[in-house]
Amino acid sequence: MYHIAICDDEKDFVAEMKVLIQNYTKETGTEFRISVFEDGKYLIENYDKSIDLIFLDIQMKDMDGLKTAEYIRKIDETVGIFFLTSLVQYALEGYQYQAVNYLVKPIKYNRLKTELNRWLEKYHKKIPSIVVSNDKGSFKIALNTLHYAETSKRNLLLHTDTEEILCYRKMKDLEQELLPFDFFRCHTGYLVNLAFVKSVEKLEIELNSGEKIYVSKPKKKEFMEALAGYWGKML
């Protein structure tokens, strides 16, 4: 299921968009969760990093779509943005915020279908990511930046390229989610990204960053097989 946000201050248009998206779901089987925001300020104040795609009206009263997109790009570089407008010249300004495209109102179903098809195809070629949360908010983490996760009391501490993020998840659940992406639970307290493993000596794993974590004795054989398989794919 994909999470779509519609940010527009015209209630009738929002209702029409919902119907068009529901028709797309009926035709293709692709499911969406839809969140509605009546203006850019409300979207920013309640931004959810689980959002995959935003339909963003350029002309809104309190905060226009371009200013909204500028702020969103500071906190989320990967979310897709379709600008909505009645005037094409405004839409062209939106490309500086890496917009997927612009849609001119009123929107016809065939145009929406074409654009959603293109977006979904592109979406699945993107680097996969996960969304985690803590008391400070939600965080979208690209998996190619996640070195490893470790247990921290009853929570998890995620080690990325640039920071450590505490999240309220169970190791078992995260392990299942990351299983298809070359992550391996080498120890009760560690889940490691095989892409960052530099070497293994006895029960100690050295990462490219110089950090060292542990592999448990019962897990070592299976871990070494997984690592050999991953390195083999990279040759």
Side-chain angles (χ1 to χ4, degrees):
M1 180 179 289
Y2 304 92
H3 187 182
I4 286 181
I6 303 174
C7 184
D8 197 297
D9 55 7
E10 298 179 42
K11 293 183 179 180
D12 290 343
F13 175 78
V14 170
E16 291 172 6
M17 280 293 294
K18 284 184 174 181
V19 171
L20 293 177
I21 293 170
Q22 288 166 1
N23 289 342
Y24 183 85
T25 294
K26 291 177 184 177
E27 183 176 343
T28 66
T30 306
E31 296 185 358
F32 300 98
R33 175 163 70 95
I34 301 174
S35 298
V36 176
F37 301 87
E38 58 192 19
D39 59 56
K41 184 178 180 182
Y42 185 63
L43 171 59
I44 290 169
E45 291 176 347
N46 299 276
Y47 193 73
D48 181 348
K49 287 194 175 180
S50 71
I51 295 173
D52 300 302
L53 179 64
I54 303 172
F55 288 97
L56 182 59
D57 190 23
I58 288 182
Q59 296 164 282
M60 293 184 289
K61 294 178 182 178
D62 294 333
M63 180 182 287
D64 68 47
L66 296 176
K67 289 181 180 178
T68 303
E70 182 179 5
Y71 181 86
I72 288 173
R73 280 293 176 238
K74 293 177 182 178
I75 59 175
D76 193 338
E77 297 179 354
T78 62
V79 66
I81 297 176
F82 277 109
F83 281 110
L84 307 171
T85 184
S86 301
L87 301 171
V88 176
Q89 61 264 36
Y90 289 122
L92 298 178
E93 296 179 39
Y95 286 113
Q96 64 183 302
Y97 304 112
Q98 296 83 51
V100 177
N101 209 336
Y102 66 88
L103 298 172
V104 178
K105 297 178 178 180
I107 297 172
K108 302 295 184 181
Y109 175 71
N110 285 339
R111 175 67 193 280
L112 179 66
K113 177 183 174 181
T114 297
E115 294 300 336
L116 282 176
N117 285 343
R118 288 174 178 170
W119 174 76
L120 284 167
E121 183 179 359
K122 185 177 180 181
Y123 180 90
H124 288 291
K125 292 179 180 179
K126 291 196 306 182
I127 296 168
S129 61
I130 57 171
V131 176
V132 299
S133 61
N134 57 34
D135 289 341
K136 295 181 180 179
S138 297
F139 302 84
K140 186 180 288 186
I141 303 173
L143 296 188
N144 68 341
T145 69
L146 178 57
H147 298 207
Y148 68 98
E150 67 173 318
T151 54
S152 179
K153 295 181 180 179
R154 295 184 179 182
N155 302 309
L156 295 179
L157 189 63
L158 307 184
H159 298 257
T160 74
D161 284 346
T162 58
E163 59 185 332
E164 296 178 350
I165 300 173
L166 184 70
C167 75
Y168 304 145
R169 298 281 297 273
K170 293 181 179 179
M171 180 67 87
K172 183 178 180 181
D173 294 338
L174 186 63
E175 177 187 9
Q176 288 301 311
E177 184 176 356
L178 298 184
L179 195 61
F181 302 105
D182 294 313
F183 281 76
F184 191 93
R185 191 171 180 181
C186 55
H187 186 281
T188 303
Y190 293 103
L191 178 67
V192 65
N193 186 342
L194 298 178
F196 288 96
V197 175
K198 180 180 180 181
S199 62
V200 183
E201 186 174 347
K202 295 182 180 179
L203 299 180
E204 192 173 74
I205 300 169
E206 183 178 359
L207 305 182
N208 294 335
S209 62
E211 296 173 281
K212 294 181 180 180
I213 61 176
Y214 298 101
V215 55
S216 66
K217 193 171 183 180
K219 285 272 191 178
K220 186 173 181 182
K221 181 180 178 182
E222 187 180 356
F223 171 73
M224 294 304 295
E225 290 174 351
L227 182 62
Y230 174 78
W231 282 348
K233 288 192 301 182
M234 296 300 104
L235 295 177

